[in-house]
Amino acid sequence: MLNEKYRGFLRWVVYQIYPRSFMDSNGDGIGDLQGIIQKLDYLKALGVNALWLCPCCQSPNDDNGYDISDYLDIMDEFGTMADMDALIAALHERSMKLIMDLVPNHTSTAHRWFQESRKGRDNPYSDFYYWFDEIPNDWQSAFRGSAWEYDALRGQYYLHSFAVSQADLNWENPAVVQAMQDVVDFWIQKGVDGFRIDVIDMISKDFEKNQNGFGPRLHEFIHALFGREQARLLFTVGESGVQDIDEMARHCAAERQELSTLFVFDHMECGRADKFTPRQDTLRSLRDLLVRWQQETEKHDLFPALFSDNHDQAPMISRIADDQALRYESATDLAAMLYLLKGVPFIYQGQEIGRTAAHYDSIDCFDDIESIRAYRGFCETMPPEEALAKINFGSRDNARRPMAWDTGKNSGFTTGTPWIPLHSRDREINAARDLSAKRSVYRFYQALLRLRTAHDAFLDGAFRVLSSADDPFFIYTRSWKDETWVIVCNFESRQKIRLPFGCEAPALSNLCRHAADGEYLPYECAVARVKKQ
Ligand code: TEU
Ligand code: CA
């Protein structure tokens, strides 16, 4: 049984919102907080009980909110602090939670702290960032090019692990730790229930080992944020480059008072050789990683964040399943593989209607800083068509197109001009169409989440894998007391599946199966209770 501190979190079902692209309430083409409020009933009906909002604070939007210029104020385009208060109240009224995105590694260079810091070496903010006379190492920005930029006013170089306008904070300075604690406390006062923490591994640097992250003081800093009395009961999920279970335990073991769980990213490489290069792959590779993390987290009294998509990735179904003729089957099969495991489900906006990657014929249809810089880089060594194909495949904009609500003007996202071109398949894939279809991804998610909350086996129940690594399908069980459930998820080929026990008729299936045993069509799945002996 999972330790008491974390057990309650297994009841959370989180929906991730990219506010800019979710719902526009005032016709300026940009999603906003009032737009989110308008859709709360849609989300509640889906069965989610928590929202994670990508950053909503003041920002010049070079990296869409991950470049924060004021942590204590709402981005003008998203609304006002009164709108945020209204959103929090509307959520809590519905017994839903709010998870804020905390960005502690860097601020926008437009932030007052940076503006002060660059003025010289003798002001109170002078050591808030990493300043050097000479470039001290060859660290690269995640968006290409050197991570060091010269600032003429200060006459020194500063570190930016991401865009030039995202300066890394110097956590070695106790005033920075204090400032970020104040940010956390401000949002706790506002009533938020948890945080998703951006690139948490990077807040402690290791200059000696030439490592921009996982530095010697990482755990001390995390503890300084979340080990304090007022923060201990929050749900905290760190975005991190952690790759193994021992490292995860150093962040998440309950007694450490650091983080509740982590986003671990190894399964993001399924179906690709690198972010912009496809690799032939199937659901097998995902299954193997899911199994490994289920077994290891269970052994270490931890729980994983269950996710396949987020705002930085092209949808998983487009990489390792069929996003064309069998799109419905693929989307629902993947959901059954993932969300009946032990952990906290994270559903990225659009996943619940089976959204896929998009396609465009021009780089002008893209907005993302990473994509545009990557495109320019590719064009140095390959023809533009090839470069564009890579961007279409891997661009973060695949996940950032306006949510398609219906088949009306601008897919019901805005009455104005959307800030970024609509999803190329929005006529075919939108919420209204999905909900009125005979086979609806949304209704499958709804049924799945209902089942998940109705039976303790899906929460803290033991996980066992029945299929073997060679099988072209995934079969697992979840057991709690004398109740066992089996989840059968077929992959891309037709298969005969025999189960080693008798089962009741499936409580959930994507193609209306009447028995858990038997022949499965491609991407067919079923969930059934095992008959008691
Ligand atoms: O992403 C951090 C991260 O790990 C990046 O390297 C990520 O893989 C990026 O999208 C490159 O492909 C977080 C946020 O999720 C991302 O949106 C931000 O751009 C980034 O931090 C900087 O704040
Ligand atoms: Ca708006």
Side-chain angles (χ1 to χ4, degrees):
M1 206 157 76
L2 189 63
N3 66 78
E4 206 182 328
K5 182 174 179 206
Y6 291 163
R7 212 173 303 145
F9 294 143
L10 296 175
R11 296 205 168 268
W12 289 41
V13 179
V14 186
Y15 187 91
Q16 183 193 348
I17 289 184
Y18 199 69
R20 209 174 179 77
S21 297
F22 191 62
M23 181 66 199
D24 175 21
S25 71
N26 63 351
D28 67 355
I30 298 172
D32 46 52
L33 299 180
Q34 284 298 334
I36 297 172
I37 293 175
Q38 287 175 13
K39 295 296 180 184
L40 288 185
D41 292 328
Y42 166 93
L43 297 172
K44 174 92 183 162
L46 177 63
V48 304
N49 54 29
L51 299 187
W52 152 27
L53 304 187
C54 280
C56 293
C57 295
Q58 282 291 12
S59 164
N61 284 306
D62 289 342
D63 189 20
N64 288 353
Y66 284 95
D67 47 327
I68 293 177
S69 55
D70 186 350
Y71 289 88
L72 311 183
D73 197 7
I74 298 298
M75 190 193 300
D76 294 334
E77 292 165 329
F78 289 176
T80 61
M81 194 53 88
D83 294 323
M84 180 53 88
D85 291 336
L87 173 59
I88 295 174
L91 283 167
H92 289 167
E93 247 164 53
R94 291 169 175 78
S95 307
M96 294 169 83
K97 319 257 189 210
L98 180 63
I99 299 171
M100 287 288 284
D101 210 316
L102 183 72
V103 187
N105 178 67
H106 43 266
T107 71
S108 165
T109 50
H111 196 292
R112 191 175 56 86
W113 300 340
F114 188 86
Q115 287 304 319
E116 290 297 318
S117 191
R118 66 194 288 249
K119 283 182 187 161
R121 299 176 197 202
D122 54 359
N123 69 71
Y125 295 92
S126 134
D127 292 330
F128 260 53
Y129 299 85
Y130 289 105
W131 293 105
F132 286 88
D133 292 331
E134 304 289 337
I135 295 179
N137 54 38
D138 62 353
W139 292 356
Q140 297 293 300
S141 143
F143 301 147
R144 284 176 181 246
S146 170
W148 297 97
E149 181 77 7
Y150 186 72
D151 183 70
L153 188 62
R154 169 106 176 196
Q156 283 187 303
Y157 293 89
Y158 67 90
L159 176 64
H160 64 90
S161 302
F162 294 88
V164 175
S165 60
Q166 286 166 299
D168 285 44
L169 284 162
N170 171 14
W171 278 70
E172 301 295 328
N173 177 355
V176 167
V177 180
Q178 177 69 55
M180 208 48 70
Q181 286 175 329
D182 292 346
V183 170
V184 167
D185 291 349
F186 175 87
W187 288 103
I188 293 175
Q189 288 295 318
K190 281 272 159 205
V192 308
D193 307 283
F195 292 96
R196 174 267 188 190
I197 307 100
D198 195 57
V199 287
I200 188 69
D201 48 305
M202 294 177 85
I203 62 175
S204 175
K205 321 279 185 196
D206 199 331
F207 285 90
E208 262 160 43
K209 286 201 195 134
N210 200 26
Q211 243 176 242
N212 186 358
F214 292 107
R217 299 182 69 190
L218 177 59
H219 296 287
E220 179 194 334
F221 295 152
I222 300 176
H223 188 82
L225 289 179
F226 302 116
R228 295 169 306 139
E229 196 65 41
Q230 65 268 46
R232 279 190 191 170
L233 297 177
L234 295 170
F235 175 73
T236 49
V237 49
E239 187 208 24
S240 167
V242 163
Q243 284 175 351
D244 69 70
I245 189 70
D246 295 324
E247 186 84 61
M248 179 173 179
R250 283 195 283 280
H251 290 75
C252 303
E255 69 279 6
R256 293 187 64 108
Q257 313 281 13
E258 291 186 30
L259 299 172
S260 317
T261 187
L262 291 175
F263 288 120
V264 174
F265 288 101
D266 49 7
H267 62 301
M268 285 306 114
E269 299 318 310
C270 292
R272 67 191 195 194
D274 62 47
K275 185 146 193 173
F276 296 103
T277 314
R279 176 174 59 86
Q280 190 58 44
D281 199 359
T282 66
L283 290 169
R284 277 177 196 77
S285 59
L286 175 64
R287 171 198 59 198
D288 297 344
L289 290 166
L290 293 176
V291 168
R292 190 184 119 208
W293 283 99
Q294 283 290 291
Q295 292 170 337
E296 293 187 338
T297 46
E298 190 154 58
K299 252 187 259 155
H300 283 75
D301 200 25
L302 303 171
F303 67 96
L306 306 170
F307 74 103
S308 62
D309 290 34
N310 65 31
H311 64 291
D312 290 332
Q313 312 291 340
M316 185 71 88
I317 57 165
S318 293
R319 296 210 296 283
I320 56 172
D322 179 349
D323 72 359
Q324 299 291 332
L326 300 180
R327 182 177 65 83
Y328 161 83
E329 289 81 347
S330 297
T332 49
D333 195 29
L334 178 62
M337 275 179 75
L338 194 59
Y339 295 133
L340 294 170
L341 295 171
K342 188 190 285 193
V344 173
F346 282 80
I347 299 163
Y348 183 65
Q349 69 185 39
Q351 231 185 292
E352 80 283 13
I353 56 170
R355 204 152 78 139
T356 65
H359 186 93
Y360 301 87
D361 293 329
S362 163
I363 190 66
D364 298 340
C365 297
F366 292 83
D367 173 87
D368 171 34
I369 178 167
E370 179 191 48
S371 310
I372 287 166
R373 293 183 61 110
Y375 177 77
R376 281 195 212 127
F378 294 145
C379 283
E380 286 165 16
T381 58
M382 62 183 77
E385 310 81 71
E386 226 172 278
L388 190 61
K390 281 179 163 298
I391 300 303
N392 272 310
F393 171 76
S395 173
R396 305 197 292 183
D397 284 339
N398 275 303
R400 300 174 177 188
R401 302 286 164 184
M403 176 77 181
W405 293 103
D406 55 43
T407 44
K409 187 182 166 217
N410 295 325
S411 313
F413 164 71
T414 179
T415 55
T417 308
W419 69 277
I420 187 173
L422 300 171
H423 194 284
S424 56
R425 290 175 69 180
D426 66 336
R427 302 282 94 184
E428 171 200 358
I429 309 169
N430 57 68
R433 208 175 148 182
D434 182 76
L435 275 160
S436 62
K438 194 169 118 244
R439 290 181 174 148
S440 155
V441 182
Y442 180 99
R443 286 201 307 277
F444 181 90
Y445 265 71
Q446 208 173 29
L448 182 153
L449 295 175
R450 219 177 276 142
L451 189 68
R452 193 189 141 92
T453 19
H455 302 279
D456 289 339
F458 296 116
L459 302 175
D460 209 2
F463 165 84
R464 207 153 75 82
V465 55
L466 292 191
S467 49
S468 72
D470 306 323
D471 287 331
F473 45 77
F474 181 24
I475 306 177
Y476 65 96
T477 59
R478 300 290 314 277
S479 310
W480 179 253
K481 295 188 177 156
D482 60 348
E483 185 166 289
T484 294
W485 286 81
V486 64
I487 299 91
V488 181
C489 301
N490 191 24
F491 297 165
E492 71 282 2
S493 59
R494 207 179 255 260
Q495 292 293 329
K496 276 218 167 60
I497 291 177
R498 287 265 147 267
L499 295 171
F501 36 59
C503 289
E504 293 176 4
L508 176 73
S509 73
N510 57 356
L511 296 175
C512 305
R513 288 189 72 79
H514 298 297
D517 256 321
E519 177 151 311
Y520 276 70
L521 293 173
Y523 302 110
E524 187 170 6
C525 66
V527 182
R529 193 172 3 216
V530 175
K531 275 192 186 145
K532 290 181 187 146
Q533 300 299 325

